[in-house]
Amino acid sequence: MKKTATTTGESPSSESPARLIDAKIEELGDWRGKTLSQIRALIRQADPEVVEEWKWRGVPVWSHAGIICTGETYKSVVKLTFAKGASLEDPSALFNSSLEGNTRRAIDLHEGDDIDQDAFKALIRAAMALNGASAR
């Protein structure tokens, strides 16, 4: 069963984070919404127990024993920021943004970009495992 968390960083909402993410995807109505929907599905496939959250006034967040990644949308990019990305192995070189920091790493997806689904799911599982190891 998929779990959801309450909203954080905004006034309380009666809507679940999952519904807020659904609404965001629908509101975008373009390639960004389709990309965010595809990413969300891949995250759920990689971690069926992922917790969906809605933070920072409208950012979808996926967590499991800590934040795995966020899904920010901008005019020309969908940015997937991994909270502990600098500590993750990335043999498929999916990370292409925020490479200079000591903690986070990001994947910027532009219109028409394809993502290696197997490599992305492996990255999600690695982030989940890292969070689990840190929680002990």
Side-chain angles (χ1 to χ4, degrees), residues 82-91 95 98-99 101-106 123 126-131 133-134:
F82 284 71
K84 298 178 182 176
S87 298
L88 297 174
E89 294 292 323
D90 182 21
F95 291 132
S98 304
L99 302 175
N102 293 328
T103 306
R104 293 182 296 277
R105 293 286 183 271
L123 201 57
M128 183 182 73
L130 180 60
N131 284 350
S134 299

Side-chain angles (χ1 to χ4, degrees), residues 101-113:
N102 293 328
T103 306
R104 293 182 296 277
R105 293 286 183 271
I107 301 169
D108 283 357
L109 297 170
H110 298 87
E111 187 171 9
D113 285 352

